[in-house]
Amino acid sequence: MKPISRALLALPLSLALGACSLFGSDAPKPTPLQAVSPSLAGRVVWSARIGDVDFPLQVAATAERFVVADSGGRVLALRAQDGAEVWRGDVGAKLMAGVGSDGRWAAVVTRDQDLVVLDAGREIWRKRLAAPVHTAPLVAGERVFVQSVDRAVQAFDVLDGHRLWELRRPGDALLLAQPGGLAAFKDTLVVGQGARLAGVDPLRGILRWEANVASPRGTNEVERLADVVGPLARAGDFLCARAFQSAVGCINAQRGSLVWSRPSAGAKGVTADSKAVIGFDAVDRLTAWRTENGETLWSNEEYQHRQLSAPLLSGTSLVFGDLEGQVHFLARDTGKIQLRVSTGGSPIAAGLVQSGTTLLAVARNGGVHALRLE
Protein backbone atom coordinates (compact mmCIF):
# COMPACT_ATOMS: atom_id res chain seq x y z
CA MET A 1 0.00 0.00 0.00
CA LYS A 2 1.28 3.42 -0.89
CA PRO A 3 2.06 5.70 2.06
CA ILE A 4 -0.06 8.77 2.73
CA SER A 5 1.67 11.88 3.93
CA ARG A 6 0.93 12.81 7.56
CA ALA A 7 -1.10 9.60 7.97
CA LEU A 8 -0.31 6.29 9.59
CA LEU A 9 -2.76 3.56 8.56
CA ALA A 10 -4.07 1.45 11.44
CA LEU A 11 -4.21 -2.30 10.87
CA PRO A 12 -7.83 -3.53 11.09
CA LEU A 13 -8.45 -5.68 14.13
CA SER A 14 -9.50 -8.75 12.14
CA LEU A 15 -6.26 -8.68 10.17
CA ALA A 16 -4.24 -8.14 13.32
CA LEU A 17 -5.79 -11.20 14.91
CA GLY A 18 -5.16 -13.19 11.75
CA ALA A 19 -1.53 -12.13 11.72
CA CYS A 20 -1.15 -13.27 15.33
CA SER A 21 -2.38 -16.74 14.44
CA LEU A 22 -0.02 -16.93 11.48
CA PHE A 23 2.93 -16.24 13.74
CA GLY A 24 1.95 -18.96 16.19
CA SER A 25 0.80 -16.82 19.09
CA ASP A 26 -1.68 -17.99 21.68
CA ALA A 27 -4.65 -16.75 19.68
CA PRO A 28 -8.01 -17.71 21.22
CA LYS A 29 -9.57 -20.85 19.77
CA PRO A 30 -12.94 -20.53 18.01
CA THR A 31 -15.85 -21.57 20.18
CA PRO A 32 -17.02 -25.04 19.06
CA LEU A 33 -20.46 -25.08 17.49
CA GLN A 34 -23.27 -26.69 19.42
CA ALA A 35 -25.68 -29.16 17.85
CA VAL A 36 -28.73 -27.47 16.35
CA SER A 37 -32.35 -28.59 16.11
CA PRO A 38 -33.56 -26.48 13.18
CA SER A 39 -36.75 -24.48 13.54
CA LEU A 40 -36.41 -23.22 9.96
CA ALA A 41 -35.78 -25.06 6.70
CA GLY A 42 -33.36 -23.70 4.13
CA ARG A 43 -30.59 -24.76 1.78
CA VAL A 44 -28.10 -23.70 -0.88
CA VAL A 45 -30.12 -23.39 -4.11
CA TRP A 46 -27.29 -22.55 -6.52
CA SER A 47 -23.55 -21.95 -6.53
CA ALA A 48 -21.06 -20.24 -8.80
CA ARG A 49 -17.31 -19.68 -8.79
CA ILE A 50 -15.06 -16.63 -8.99
CA GLY A 51 -11.40 -16.23 -8.04
CA ASP A 52 -10.09 -15.93 -4.49
CA VAL A 53 -11.35 -13.03 -2.37
CA ASP A 54 -8.72 -11.46 -0.10
CA PHE A 55 -9.95 -7.86 -0.05
CA PRO A 56 -12.93 -6.34 1.82
CA LEU A 57 -15.56 -7.32 -0.75
CA GLN A 58 -19.00 -5.78 -0.54
CA VAL A 59 -21.53 -7.58 -2.74
CA ALA A 60 -23.98 -5.29 -4.53
CA ALA A 61 -27.58 -6.54 -4.46
CA THR A 62 -30.36 -5.14 -6.63
CA ALA A 63 -33.93 -6.26 -7.21
CA GLU A 64 -32.93 -9.03 -9.62
CA ARG A 65 -29.20 -9.60 -9.43
CA PHE A 66 -26.00 -9.72 -7.41
CA VAL A 67 -22.73 -8.11 -8.52
CA VAL A 68 -19.59 -9.77 -7.13
CA ALA A 69 -15.85 -9.44 -7.72
CA ASP A 70 -12.67 -11.32 -6.95
CA SER A 71 -9.22 -10.13 -5.96
CA GLY A 72 -7.87 -10.55 -9.50
CA GLY A 73 -10.20 -7.89 -10.90
CA ARG A 74 -13.02 -9.98 -12.38
CA VAL A 75 -16.49 -8.53 -11.85
CA LEU A 76 -19.66 -10.58 -12.45
CA ALA A 77 -23.38 -9.93 -12.39
CA LEU A 78 -25.43 -13.02 -11.49
CA ARG A 79 -29.18 -13.42 -11.70
CA ALA A 80 -30.54 -13.85 -8.18
CA GLN A 81 -33.17 -16.41 -9.13
CA ASP A 82 -30.88 -19.06 -10.60
CA GLY A 83 -27.28 -17.79 -10.68
CA ALA A 84 -27.23 -17.31 -14.45
CA GLU A 85 -24.45 -14.98 -15.57
CA VAL A 86 -25.85 -11.64 -16.76
CA TRP A 87 -22.47 -10.11 -17.65
CA ARG A 88 -18.82 -10.24 -16.71
CA GLY A 89 -15.91 -7.82 -16.92
CA ASP A 90 -12.24 -7.70 -16.01
CA VAL A 91 -10.47 -4.52 -14.91
CA GLY A 92 -7.02 -6.08 -15.40
CA ALA A 93 -5.70 -5.31 -11.91
CA LYS A 94 -6.05 -6.54 -8.35
CA LEU A 95 -8.85 -4.98 -6.36
CA MET A 96 -8.82 -3.06 -3.09
CA ALA A 97 -12.51 -2.11 -2.81
CA GLY A 98 -15.89 -2.86 -4.39
CA VAL A 99 -18.45 -3.52 -5.60
CA GLY A 100 -20.75 -0.51 -5.87
CA SER A 101 -23.64 -0.84 -8.33
CA ASP A 102 -27.07 0.61 -9.03
CA GLY A 103 -28.07 -2.28 -11.28
CA ARG A 104 -26.52 -0.91 -14.46
CA TRP A 105 -23.15 0.59 -13.62
CA ALA A 106 -20.62 -1.09 -11.35
CA ALA A 107 -17.61 0.56 -9.68
CA VAL A 108 -14.47 -0.90 -8.07
CA VAL A 109 -11.11 0.46 -6.91
CA THR A 110 -7.79 -1.27 -7.70
CA ARG A 111 -4.73 -1.59 -5.51
CA ASP A 112 -3.09 0.95 -7.82
CA GLN A 113 -5.78 3.41 -6.64
CA ASP A 114 -7.70 3.44 -9.92
CA LEU A 115 -11.45 3.94 -9.73
CA VAL A 116 -12.91 1.84 -12.56
CA VAL A 117 -16.52 2.02 -13.78
CA LEU A 118 -18.18 -0.68 -15.88
CA ASP A 119 -21.38 -0.60 -17.91
CA ALA A 120 -22.75 -4.14 -18.39
CA GLY A 121 -19.23 -5.47 -17.86
CA ARG A 122 -17.54 -3.09 -20.29
CA GLU A 123 -15.07 -0.60 -18.85
CA ILE A 124 -16.13 2.94 -19.72
CA TRP A 125 -13.54 4.91 -17.72
CA ARG A 126 -10.98 4.82 -14.96
CA LYS A 127 -9.56 7.57 -12.78
CA ARG A 128 -6.42 7.56 -10.60
CA LEU A 129 -7.18 8.54 -7.00
CA ALA A 130 -4.81 10.34 -4.64
CA ALA A 131 -5.25 7.98 -1.67
CA PRO A 132 -6.08 4.31 -1.05
CA VAL A 133 -9.73 3.25 -0.82
CA HIS A 134 -11.11 0.40 1.29
CA THR A 135 -14.80 1.34 1.14
CA ALA A 136 -16.88 0.12 -1.80
CA PRO A 137 -17.93 3.06 -4.01
CA LEU A 138 -21.58 4.10 -3.95
CA VAL A 139 -23.31 4.39 -7.35
CA ALA A 140 -26.51 6.45 -7.25
CA GLY A 141 -28.19 9.20 -9.26
CA GLU A 142 -25.73 8.82 -12.18
CA ARG A 143 -22.89 9.61 -9.81
CA VAL A 144 -20.11 7.57 -8.26
CA PHE A 145 -19.19 8.51 -4.69
CA VAL A 146 -15.83 7.44 -3.26
CA GLN A 147 -14.50 7.65 0.28
CA SER A 148 -10.72 7.26 0.72
CA VAL A 149 -8.86 6.37 3.90
CA ASP A 150 -7.90 10.02 4.45
CA ARG A 151 -11.65 10.67 4.89
CA ALA A 152 -11.95 12.66 1.67
CA VAL A 153 -15.20 12.10 -0.25
CA GLN A 154 -15.40 12.67 -4.01
CA ALA A 155 -18.23 12.56 -6.53
CA PHE A 156 -17.74 11.63 -10.20
CA ASP A 157 -20.08 11.69 -13.19
CA VAL A 158 -20.84 8.04 -13.91
CA LEU A 159 -20.89 8.61 -17.69
CA ASP A 160 -17.47 10.19 -18.26
CA GLY A 161 -15.59 10.23 -14.93
CA HIS A 162 -15.60 14.00 -14.58
CA ARG A 163 -15.02 14.92 -10.93
CA LEU A 164 -17.95 16.94 -9.69
CA TRP A 165 -16.80 17.85 -6.19
CA GLU A 166 -14.59 16.90 -3.27
CA LEU A 167 -15.21 17.25 0.47
CA ARG A 168 -12.22 17.16 2.81
CA ARG A 169 -12.08 17.38 6.56
CA PRO A 170 -9.02 18.18 8.73
CA GLY A 171 -6.77 15.15 8.91
CA ASP A 172 -5.86 13.17 11.99
CA ALA A 173 -2.52 11.59 12.81
CA LEU A 174 -3.95 8.06 12.65
CA LEU A 175 -6.38 6.73 10.04
CA LEU A 176 -8.14 3.39 9.82
CA ALA A 177 -7.43 1.10 6.85
CA GLN A 178 -10.86 -0.53 6.92
CA PRO A 179 -14.17 -0.07 5.07
CA GLY A 180 -15.99 2.99 6.37
CA GLY A 181 -19.55 4.27 6.23
CA LEU A 182 -21.01 5.43 2.90
CA ALA A 183 -24.74 5.30 2.17
CA ALA A 184 -27.67 7.15 0.62
CA PHE A 185 -30.56 8.41 2.72
CA LYS A 186 -33.35 9.96 0.65
CA ASP A 187 -31.69 12.97 -1.04
CA THR A 188 -28.67 12.99 1.28
CA LEU A 189 -25.30 11.26 1.03
CA VAL A 190 -24.25 9.98 4.47
CA VAL A 191 -20.55 9.39 5.15
CA GLY A 192 -18.54 8.41 8.17
CA GLN A 193 -15.84 10.94 9.02
CA GLY A 194 -13.97 10.02 12.13
CA ALA A 195 -16.41 9.18 14.92
CA ARG A 196 -19.24 11.12 13.30
CA LEU A 197 -21.77 10.61 10.53
CA ALA A 198 -22.12 13.54 8.15
CA GLY A 199 -25.02 14.32 5.84
CA VAL A 200 -23.84 15.80 2.55
CA ASP A 201 -25.66 17.39 -0.39
CA PRO A 202 -24.86 14.86 -3.18
CA LEU A 203 -25.14 17.50 -5.91
CA ARG A 204 -22.75 20.08 -4.46
CA GLY A 205 -20.72 18.32 -1.77
CA ILE A 206 -21.87 20.75 0.93
CA LEU A 207 -22.23 19.59 4.53
CA ARG A 208 -25.85 19.56 5.75
CA TRP A 209 -25.46 18.11 9.24
CA GLU A 210 -23.21 15.94 11.37
CA ALA A 211 -23.73 13.83 14.48
CA ASN A 212 -21.23 11.99 16.67
CA VAL A 213 -21.71 8.23 17.05
CA ALA A 214 -19.02 8.15 19.75
CA SER A 215 -17.01 10.59 21.85
CA PRO A 216 -13.43 9.30 21.63
CA ARG A 217 -11.40 9.40 24.81
CA GLY A 218 -7.84 8.33 25.47
CA THR A 219 -4.32 9.44 26.19
CA ASN A 220 -2.98 8.84 22.67
CA GLU A 221 -4.06 8.68 19.02
CA VAL A 222 -4.53 4.91 19.09
CA GLU A 223 -6.92 5.04 22.04
CA ARG A 224 -8.85 7.90 20.41
CA LEU A 225 -9.23 6.13 17.07
CA ALA A 226 -13.01 5.69 16.65
CA ASP A 227 -13.76 5.92 12.94
CA VAL A 228 -17.20 4.82 11.79
CA VAL A 229 -16.88 1.43 10.08
CA GLY A 230 -19.20 -0.14 7.54
CA PRO A 231 -21.69 -1.25 6.75
CA LEU A 232 -24.21 1.34 7.93
CA ALA A 233 -27.72 0.08 8.67
CA ARG A 234 -30.98 1.88 7.96
CA ALA A 235 -34.22 1.46 9.88
CA GLY A 236 -36.78 4.02 8.71
CA ASP A 237 -35.37 7.47 9.51
CA PHE A 238 -32.63 5.94 11.64
CA LEU A 239 -29.11 5.20 10.44
CA CYS A 240 -27.16 3.01 12.83
CA ALA A 241 -23.40 2.52 12.89
CA ARG A 242 -20.41 1.30 14.81
CA ALA A 243 -17.50 3.53 15.79
CA PHE A 244 -14.34 1.40 15.75
CA GLN A 245 -13.61 -0.17 19.15
CA SER A 246 -15.78 2.44 20.82
CA ALA A 247 -19.56 2.46 20.46
CA VAL A 248 -22.70 1.55 18.54
CA GLY A 249 -25.28 4.24 17.97
CA CYS A 250 -28.20 5.44 15.88
CA ILE A 251 -28.88 8.87 14.44
CA ASN A 252 -32.08 10.34 13.08
CA ALA A 253 -30.89 11.01 9.54
CA GLN A 254 -33.91 13.18 8.76
CA ARG A 255 -32.96 15.57 11.56
CA GLY A 256 -29.22 14.93 11.66
CA SER A 257 -29.19 14.26 15.40
CA LEU A 258 -27.95 11.47 17.66
CA VAL A 259 -30.70 9.28 19.16
CA TRP A 260 -28.55 6.97 21.29
CA SER A 261 -25.04 5.58 21.67
CA ARG A 262 -23.83 2.60 23.71
CA PRO A 263 -20.26 1.44 24.45
CA SER A 264 -19.24 -1.55 22.32
CA ALA A 265 -15.68 -2.50 21.37
CA GLY A 266 -16.10 -3.96 17.89
CA ALA A 267 -14.59 -3.53 14.45
CA LYS A 268 -17.39 -4.30 11.96
CA GLY A 269 -20.67 -2.63 11.13
CA VAL A 270 -24.15 -3.47 12.39
CA THR A 271 -27.51 -4.47 10.95
CA ALA A 272 -30.87 -3.01 11.94
CA ASP A 273 -34.61 -2.97 11.45
CA SER A 274 -37.45 -1.26 13.31
CA LYS A 275 -37.11 -3.66 16.24
CA ALA A 276 -33.39 -4.26 16.81
CA VAL A 277 -29.84 -3.16 16.04
CA ILE A 278 -27.43 -6.12 16.12
CA GLY A 279 -23.65 -6.38 15.94
CA PHE A 280 -20.73 -8.27 17.38
CA ASP A 281 -17.72 -7.06 19.32
CA ALA A 282 -13.98 -7.75 19.02
CA VAL A 283 -14.36 -11.34 20.32
CA ASP A 284 -17.52 -12.03 18.24
CA ARG A 285 -19.93 -11.65 21.15
CA LEU A 286 -23.32 -10.77 19.65
CA THR A 287 -25.49 -8.02 21.15
CA ALA A 288 -28.93 -6.76 20.18
CA TRP A 289 -30.13 -3.28 21.16
CA ARG A 290 -33.64 -1.90 20.91
CA THR A 291 -33.71 0.38 17.87
CA GLU A 292 -35.71 3.18 19.43
CA ASN A 293 -33.60 3.71 22.56
CA GLY A 294 -30.52 1.44 22.65
CA GLU A 295 -31.78 -0.77 25.47
CA THR A 296 -30.00 -4.15 25.45
CA LEU A 297 -32.35 -6.92 24.30
CA TRP A 298 -30.04 -9.94 24.42
CA SER A 299 -26.47 -11.10 24.01
CA ASN A 300 -24.99 -14.35 22.72
CA GLU A 301 -21.46 -15.66 23.41
CA GLU A 302 -21.75 -18.93 21.45
CA TYR A 303 -19.81 -17.67 18.40
CA GLN A 304 -16.76 -16.09 20.01
CA HIS A 305 -13.57 -15.99 17.92
CA ARG A 306 -15.32 -17.51 14.90
CA GLN A 307 -14.36 -14.58 12.62
CA LEU A 308 -17.93 -13.67 11.79
CA SER A 309 -18.97 -11.86 8.64
CA ALA A 310 -20.93 -8.62 8.93
CA PRO A 311 -24.46 -9.46 10.16
CA LEU A 312 -27.67 -9.15 8.14
CA LEU A 313 -31.27 -8.99 9.33
CA SER A 314 -33.57 -10.90 6.96
CA GLY A 315 -37.17 -10.89 8.09
CA THR A 316 -37.12 -11.99 11.71
CA SER A 317 -33.76 -13.79 11.37
CA LEU A 318 -30.20 -12.62 11.92
CA VAL A 319 -27.85 -14.14 9.34
CA PHE A 320 -24.04 -14.27 9.29
CA GLY A 321 -21.20 -16.52 8.15
CA ASP A 322 -18.07 -17.76 9.89
CA LEU A 323 -14.52 -19.03 9.36
CA GLU A 324 -15.70 -22.58 8.50
CA GLY A 325 -18.12 -21.50 5.79
CA GLN A 326 -21.15 -22.04 8.01
CA VAL A 327 -24.10 -19.67 7.60
CA HIS A 328 -26.06 -19.19 10.84
CA PHE A 329 -29.68 -18.09 11.21
CA LEU A 330 -30.62 -16.75 14.66
CA ALA A 331 -33.96 -15.44 15.89
CA ARG A 332 -33.86 -11.65 15.88
CA ASP A 333 -35.88 -11.36 19.09
CA THR A 334 -34.01 -13.91 21.22
CA GLY A 335 -30.64 -14.68 19.60
CA LYS A 336 -31.43 -18.40 19.59
CA ILE A 337 -30.19 -20.58 16.72
CA GLN A 338 -32.82 -21.41 14.06
CA LEU A 339 -30.78 -22.98 11.26
CA ARG A 340 -27.22 -23.66 10.15
CA VAL A 341 -26.23 -24.22 6.51
CA SER A 342 -22.77 -25.28 5.31
CA THR A 343 -21.36 -23.73 2.15
CA GLY A 344 -18.28 -25.95 1.82
CA GLY A 345 -15.73 -25.04 4.48
CA SER A 346 -14.01 -21.89 3.18
CA PRO A 347 -14.40 -18.77 5.39
CA ILE A 348 -17.19 -16.40 4.41
CA ALA A 349 -15.41 -13.36 3.00
CA ALA A 350 -18.21 -10.79 2.83
CA GLY A 351 -21.37 -9.92 4.69
CA LEU A 352 -24.40 -11.71 3.28
CA VAL A 353 -26.76 -9.66 1.11
CA GLN A 354 -30.32 -10.26 -0.05
CA SER A 355 -32.22 -9.91 -3.32
CA GLY A 356 -35.88 -10.88 -3.03
CA THR A 357 -35.95 -14.17 -1.14
CA THR A 358 -32.38 -15.11 -2.05
CA LEU A 359 -29.41 -14.61 0.28
CA LEU A 360 -25.86 -14.64 -1.09
CA ALA A 361 -22.69 -15.73 0.69
CA VAL A 362 -19.23 -15.38 -0.91
CA ALA A 363 -16.37 -17.48 0.44
CA ARG A 364 -12.69 -16.64 0.50
CA ASN A 365 -11.92 -19.39 -2.04
CA GLY A 366 -14.32 -17.78 -4.54
CA GLY A 367 -17.34 -19.93 -3.87
CA VAL A 368 -20.57 -18.00 -4.45
CA HIS A 369 -23.53 -19.62 -2.70
CA ALA A 370 -27.20 -18.63 -2.83
CA LEU A 371 -29.48 -19.70 0.03
CA ARG A 372 -33.23 -19.65 0.48
CA LEU A 373 -35.54 -20.49 3.31
CA GLU A 374 -38.28 -22.98 2.49
Side-chain angles (χ1 to χ4, degrees), residues 69-89:
D70 62 31
S71 297
R74 288 167 290 275
V75 186
L76 280 77
L78 303 171
R79 195 162 61 196
Q81 180 62 30
D82 56 12
E85 187 175 303
V86 180
W87 55 256
R88 72 165 53 212

Side-chain angles (χ1 to χ4, degrees), residues 76-140:
L76 280 77
L78 303 171
R79 195 162 61 196
Q81 180 62 30
D82 56 12
E85 187 175 303
V86 180
W87 55 256
R88 72 165 53 212
D90 193 330
V91 304
K94 292 186 175 182
L95 297 187
M96 180 65 76
V99 181
S101 180
D102 64 352
R104 174 181 174 181
W105 293 287
V108 296
V109 180
T110 72
R111 295 185 185 180
D112 294 327
Q113 297 175 199
D114 285 337
L115 169 63
V116 186
V117 172
L118 308 171
D119 184 355
R122 178 180 62 88
E123 181 180 328
I124 56 175
W125 57 266
R126 67 175 58 205
K127 183 83 66 173
R128 180 61 56 90
L129 303 173
V133 171
H134 291 271
T135 306
L138 174 66
V139 182

Side-chain angles (χ1 to χ4, degrees), residues 94 188 249 324 332 369:
K94 292 186 175 182
T188 297
E324 295 177 339
R332 176 198 61 194
H369 308 285

Side-chain angles (χ1 to χ4, degrees), residues 28 37 44 76 85 98 100 103 118 133 161 177 198 205 229 231 254 260 293 343:
S37 298
V44 174
L76 280 77
E85 187 175 303
L118 308 171
V133 171
V229 296
Q254 186 67 36
W260 58 265
N293 58 17
T343 63

Side-chain angles (χ1 to χ4, degrees), residues 233-249:
R234 181 176 176 181
D237 284 348
F238 283 16
L239 275 177
C240 302
R242 178 183 296 282
F244 179 77
Q245 293 294 73
S246 181
V248 167

Side-chain angles (χ1 to χ4, degrees), residues 13 213-215 225-227 229 241-249 260-270 277-289 294 296 299:
L13 181 66
V213 176
S215 299
L225 185 65
D227 285 33
V229 296
R242 178 183 296 282
F244 179 77
Q245 293 294 73
S246 181
V248 167
W260 58 265
S261 178
R262 299 289 180 268
S264 179
K268 287 189 178 180
V270 298
V277 179
I278 306 177
F280 54 87
D281 64 15
V283 298
D284 293 329
R285 179 189 300 108
L286 289 154
T287 302
W289 299 270
T296 299
S299 62

Side-chain angles (χ1 to χ4, degrees), residues 28-40:
K29 301 295 184 183
T31 300
L33 294 176
Q34 303 299 312
V36 56
S37 298
S39 58
L40 295 175

